[in-house]
């Protein structure tokens, strides 16, 4: 891609700075321990997990563009398959780095690679993530190396299947937590898959429009409009799953306390849910996409940014709100103790957590920007596509 | 018999004798240093029966003994417990939401037969010993904290800070997860867990659940006891009476 040298190097410098700050935060966390984060023995997964899960889920969802092209043969999407694969690798690298650096002992990541507990869904995910890296790399190769082109369809199909399993695995991390009110639901894997469609496509829109803008190219408005409509459909489908998850919980008497907390009187969490996820993450993007006088390139990009923002809000409520509500260890009893039994757990994210999370986004940004510069990831649209 | 053969025999005898003399003190010292080295057996399942009627509201002796025996600060350094302090054992005050009955009980790792923490641990650092004690291998734990998410009893703590003055019997590590070990180091020496020994009212009965003749097995046969969250089917080794 031909964007100006100066712009390219400033982008690399800015991204590099964000990554360095993230690494510095990780260094501080390793030096002092997690005491410098907002996490504690009640909220054991904090803001880094919100960033990491967003990126990992989006890494799977962004491949949708490639799948629609390779598996379902749509030319507009096929032209974007390489960029979709690149974004997937970039997001996965960013998300996994955050996840790894948030470990209590990131220096022991080798232990995770050499000791494998077959009953652990975390351990399955280690294979699923590395498998996705490998498969997407092969897929990119089959697309970019002409002699390998005939293999791109089977490779695309393999990626298509693999990412479904991968996001199922991400959902299962929570679905297997039987004792926690917020999790332990078989609805979570399909919910994560559908959510990944929306987040992944939103990230794709943002990345694509940035690349077009930075290289001074004009993006065909009808293509943006068409892909914008698809984003709208994904957003609605994701909303359906989130609604079904909360409605089933509302129906169970033993879950009503938790739902009341998340949806009404939990302070920050209901606010984030309704304003962040509901209004900014769903209502506004849908208006921007489907309102007859909107839906142009700029609205679609704005809608995508809002979907991403809403995604972070939803994950914050899901991951942190889900832990803040007290575990029901003694049903029928009101409990209190020095260890937070029966109480809403407190959590306020600290600066190192923010830095680490943004550092992960920075890694994804750096990988994308540098790769787009050195290899041909730009969509090449043929005129007059009929499909 | 040839002279050479006799000499060879002599030589072999002397060698074996010398070898025995050289190795024996080492073996003896090894024995002395390691005490009994018999492997733990699944014929034993260690457990506790906690009688809530004898557990006094406001008494914290078991928790204090746990903190002392395992080298946990118990809030002493920070002038009160902080949400990042490790608590292997805690006293929980309960109030029946319908009848209003109040009771107090100690809560810790329930040493499940089917522990969710062991199932979810990616590296196998969480494990169950043959005698049913659930432990964390501190050399293998990567600090992912998934076990803390999976534990239905909130029994685990994460070490948030560098540690000082550790108890050599109970090694711990910053960035790893830990929980009640049922004082495994004491059990292996033939002693009771610190909490059971410290309880002034003998509310904690420790013993082998698998031995029908043991006091704990007899009591469980004769009095009504429950497992916390028995609906989860984890078959805990800690039973409560009067809950």
């Amino acid at each position: 891609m031909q964007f100006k040298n100066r712009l390219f190097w400033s982008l690399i410098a800015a991204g590099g700075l964000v990554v360095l700050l993230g690494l510095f935060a990780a260094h501080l966390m390793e030096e002092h321990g997690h005491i410098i984060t907002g996490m504690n023995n009640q909220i054991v997964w904090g803001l880094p997990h919100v960033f990491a899960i967003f990126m990992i889920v989006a890494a799977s969802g962004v491949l949708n563009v490639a799948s629609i092209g390779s598996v379902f043969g749509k030319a507009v999407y096929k032209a974007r398959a390489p960029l979709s694969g690149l974004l997937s690798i970039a997001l996965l690298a960013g998300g996994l780095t955050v996840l790894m650096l948030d470990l209590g002992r990131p220096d022991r990541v080798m232990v995770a690679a050499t000791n494998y507990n077959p009953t652990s869904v975390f351990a399955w995910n280690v294979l699923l993530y590395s498998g996705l890296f490998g498969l997407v790399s092969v897929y990119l190769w089959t697309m970019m190396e002409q002699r390998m082109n005939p293999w791109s369809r089977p490779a695309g199909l393999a990626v298509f299947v693999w990412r479904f399993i991968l996001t199922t695995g991400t959902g299962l991390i929570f679905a297997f937590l039987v004792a926690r009110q917020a999790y332990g639901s078989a609805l979570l894997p399909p919910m994560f898959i559908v959510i990944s469609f929306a987040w992944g496509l939103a990230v794709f829109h943002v990345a694509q429009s940035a690349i077009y803008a930075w290289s001074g190219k004009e993006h065909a408005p009808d293509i943006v409009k068409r892909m914008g409509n698809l984003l709208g459909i994904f957003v609605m489908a994701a909303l359906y799953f989130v609604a079904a998850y909360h409605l089933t919980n509302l129906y169970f008497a033993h879950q009503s306390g938790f739902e009341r907390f998340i949806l009404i009187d939990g302070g920050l969490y209901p606010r984030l849910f309704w304003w962040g996820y509901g209004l900014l993450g769903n209502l506004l993007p849908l208006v921007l996409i489907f309102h007859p006088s909107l839906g142009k390139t700029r609205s679609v990009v704005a809608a995508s940014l809002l979907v991403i923002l809403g995604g972070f809000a939803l994950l914050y409520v899901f991951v942190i709100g889900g832990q803040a509500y007290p575990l029901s260890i003694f049903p029928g009893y009101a409990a209190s103790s020095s260890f937070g039994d029966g109480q809403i757990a407190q959590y306020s994210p600290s600066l190192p957590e923010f830095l680490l999370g943004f550092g992960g986004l920075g890694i994804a940004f750096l990988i994308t920007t540098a790769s787009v510069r050195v290899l041909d990831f730009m969509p090449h649209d043929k005129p007059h596509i009929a499909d | 018999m040839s002279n050479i053969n006799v000499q060879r025999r002599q030589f072999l005898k002397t060698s074996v004798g010398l070898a025995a003399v050289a190795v024996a003190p080492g073996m003896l010292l090894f024995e002395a240093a390691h005490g009994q080295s018999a492997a733990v057996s699944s014929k034993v399942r260690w457990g506790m029966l906690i009688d809530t009627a004898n557990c006094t509201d406001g008494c914290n002796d078991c928790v204090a003994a746990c903190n002392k025996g395992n080298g946990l600060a118990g809030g002493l350094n920070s002038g009160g417990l902080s949400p990042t302090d490790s608590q292997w054992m805690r006293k929980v005050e309960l109030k029946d939401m319908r009848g209003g009955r109040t009771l107090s009980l100690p809560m810790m790792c329930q040493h499940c037969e089917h522990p969710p923490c062991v199932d979810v641990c990616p590296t196998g650092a969480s494990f169950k010993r043959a005698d049913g004690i659930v432990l964390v291998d501190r050399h293998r734990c990567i600090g992912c904290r998934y076990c803390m998410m999976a534990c239905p009893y909130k029994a685990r703590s994460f070490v948030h800070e560098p540690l000082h003055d550790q108890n050599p019997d109970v090694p711990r590590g910053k960035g790893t997860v830990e929980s009640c070990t049922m004082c495994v180091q004491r059990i292996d020496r033939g002693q009771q867990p610190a909490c059971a020994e410290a309880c002034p009212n003998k509310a904690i009965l420790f013993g082998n659940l698998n031995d029908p003749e043991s006091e704990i097995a007899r009591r469980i046969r004769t009095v009504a006891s429950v497992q916390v969250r028995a609906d989860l089917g984890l078959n805990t080794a800690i039973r409560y009476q009067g809950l």
Side-chain angles (χ1 to χ4, degrees):
Chain A
M1 187 184 63
Q2 302 303 317
F3 53 80
K4 290 176 202 80
N5 248 331
R6 200 133 143 225
L7 176 64
F8 173 74
W9 289 113
S10 350
L11 288 172
I12 291 290
L17 187 68
V18 174
V19 173
L20 278 180
L21 283 173
L23 292 177
F24 178 64
H27 168 71
L28 286 180
M29 279 164 70
E30 180 151 26
E31 191 89 349
H32 299 276
H34 276 58
I35 192 84
I36 61 165
T37 70
M39 289 175 253
N40 52 55
N41 282 323
Q42 312 303 326
I43 308 283
V44 303
W45 288 352
L47 196 64
H49 275 78
V50 172
F51 276 87
I53 295 170
F54 180 88
M55 281 183 266
I56 291 168
V57 169
S60 147
V62 77
L63 283 169
N64 230 19
V65 174
S67 299
I68 297 172
S70 283
V71 180
F72 302 109
K74 302 281 175 203
V76 167
Y77 290 92
K78 195 157 188 168
R80 283 158 182 76
L83 182 58
S84 142
L86 169 66
L87 285 172
S88 173
I89 287 185
L91 284 165
L92 196 60
L96 290 182
T97 307
V98 174
L99 208 58
M100 191 192 77
L101 292 177
D102 180 56
L103 292 175
R105 294 295 303 259
D107 53 313
R108 285 187 184 163
V109 72
M110 230 13 236
V111 175
T114 50
N115 290 280
Y116 194 80
N117 176 13
T119 65
S120 167
V121 58
F122 252 20
W124 305 348
N125 280 337
V126 172
L127 288 188
L128 290 172
Y129 296 149
S130 23
L132 193 73
F133 268 121
L135 277 179
V136 174
S137 307
V138 169
Y139 180 43
L140 284 177
W141 181 47
T142 61
M143 286 190 289
M144 303 185 104
E145 164 62 61
Q146 271 190 346
R147 282 169 304 172
M148 294 303 292
N149 279 171
W151 290 97
S152 88
R153 205 179 138 82
L157 193 66
V159 166
F160 175 70
V161 172
W162 195 269
R163 77 188 171 83
F164 265 91
I165 303 173
L166 179 130
T167 314
T168 303
T170 313
L172 284 179
I173 289 175
F174 293 96
F176 282 174
L177 298 176
V178 60
R180 296 213 175 230
Q181 288 89 324
Y183 315 125
S185 159
L187 202 56
L188 296 179
M191 182 176 112
F192 267 74
I193 288 179
V194 175
I195 280 178
S196 83
F197 293 175
W199 296 352
L201 192 54
V203 170
F204 187 88
H205 272 297
V206 172
Q208 177 178 248
S209 60
I211 293 168
Y212 269 87
W214 288 334
S215 53
K217 285 189 178 164
E218 195 67 38
H219 204 176
D222 55 325
I223 294 178
V224 179
K225 170 91 182 149
R226 187 173 155 186
M227 292 179 71
N229 287 345
L230 185 66
L231 176 66
I233 290 163
F234 286 163
V235 167
M236 285 189 284
L239 181 63
Y240 164 77
F241 269 90
V242 174
Y245 160 77
H246 284 291
L247 281 171
T248 45
N249 266 349
L250 278 170
Y251 203 81
F252 306 152
H254 69 103
Q255 291 285 48
S256 57
F258 167 69
E259 284 299 326
R260 205 186 154 74
F261 171 73
I262 288 292
L263 300 179
I264 300 169
D265 55 16
L268 176 67
Y269 305 109
R271 283 206 292 276
L272 275 177
F273 183 82
W274 294 110
W275 298 111
Y277 176 67
L279 182 71
L280 295 181
N282 283 285
L283 206 59
L284 271 181
L286 290 176
V287 170
L288 282 168
I289 290 168
F290 290 121
H291 193 279
S293 62
L294 298 164
K296 309 269 165 12
T297 305
R298 204 171 274 180
S299 326
V300 171
V301 173
S304 303
L305 283 169
L306 286 171
V307 168
I308 294 172
L309 208 65
F312 273 89
L314 179 70
L315 271 183
Y316 194 94
V317 174
F318 180 74
V319 174
I320 294 162
Q323 295 171 80
Y325 190 74
L327 260 183
S328 168
I329 303 177
F330 303 96
Y333 289 91
S336 65
S337 78
S338 59
F339 203 56
D341 287 280
Q343 287 156 31
I344 306 297
Q346 300 301 318
Y347 170 76
S348 41
S350 70
L351 184 63
E353 290 173 82
F354 277 103
L355 292 180
L356 179 57
F358 278 106
L361 289 178
I363 288 174
F365 175 82
L366 273 189
I367 293 178
T368 311
T369 310
S371 308
V372 163
R373 165 92 168 187
V374 295
L375 287 169
D376 183 21
F377 283 103
M378 276 300 273
H380 298 291
D381 287 313
K382 296 185 189 86
H384 310 299
I385 304 140
D387 59 35
Chain B
M1 206 186 295
S2 77
N3 198 22
I4 292 174
N5 265 350
V6 173
Q7 272 185 356
R8 187 191 282 156
R9 276 187 196 176
Q10 280 292 344
F11 173 74
L12 284 175
K13 271 186 203 163
T14 323
S15 305
V16 169
L18 278 175
V21 169
V23 171
M27 297 289 280
L28 287 173
L29 281 173
F30 187 83
E31 278 293 302
H34 285 78
Q36 81 190 83
S37 56
V40 289
S41 144
S42 58
K43 288 185 186 129
V44 176
R45 181 163 188 225
W46 296 117
M48 291 180 183
L49 175 65
I50 294 167
D51 185 356
T52 58
N54 285 338
C55 182
T56 324
D57 192 7
C59 169
N60 220 29
D61 289 3
C62 54
V63 177
C66 172
N67 289 342
K68 187 161 176 282
N70 293 301
L72 311 177
L76 285 178
N77 296 340
S78 48
L81 283 163
S82 100
T84 48
D85 282 338
S86 284
Q87 295 190 45
W88 292 10
M89 188 178 215
R90 62 189 191 267
K91 279 293 291 291
V92 181
E93 314 297 335
L94 294 174
K95 186 176 181 195
D96 192 323
M97 286 194 279
R98 282 163 293 266
R101 182 171 78 105
T102 59
L103 66 157
S104 175
L105 52 81
M107 194 66 201
M108 63 286 203
C109 174
Q110 303 287 296
H111 298 280
C112 311
E113 186 190 352
H114 309 290
C117 56
V118 173
D119 287 343
V120 302
C121 177
T123 63
S126 281
F127 69 102
K128 192 180 65 163
R129 236 169 59 143
D131 56 4
I133 300 178
V134 176
L135 296 170
V136 180
D137 181 342
R138 268 48 168 281
H139 297 287
R140 216 188 248 204
C141 174
I142 57 173
C144 74
R145 319 188 285 288
Y146 195 19
C147 56
M148 299 176 77
M149 292 290 278
C151 176
Y153 307 105
K154 231 169 50 171
R156 292 200 156 182
S157 295
F158 178 69
V159 182
H160 287 77
E161 291 172 274
L163 299 166
H164 311 285
D165 306 324
Q166 294 195 43
N167 176 351
D169 269 351
V170 189
R172 304 168 58 207
K174 184 194 82 182
T176 63
V177 176
E178 53 184 25
S179 59
C180 157
T181 63
M182 230 192 245
C183 287
V184 67
Q185 75 283 7
R186 295 170 58 93
I187 292 178
D188 287 349
R189 286 196 298 255
Q191 294 171 294
Q192 300 234 334
C195 57
E197 201 174 86
C199 180
N201 301 329
K202 303 278 170 257
I204 303 176
L205 174 63
F206 167 79
N208 178 6
L209 294 166
N210 281 354
D211 173 11
E213 298 307 310
S214 69
E215 169 76 11
I216 188 168
R218 261 203 296 259
R219 281 266 292 279
I220 283 176
R221 275 203 302 275
T222 51
V223 300
S225 67
V226 295
Q227 305 180 19
V228 177
R229 291 299 309 264
D231 56 316
L232 297 174
L234 305 173
N235 191 16
T236 59
I238 313 292
R239 314 287 165 95
Y240 290 86
Q241 194 180 333
L243 178 62

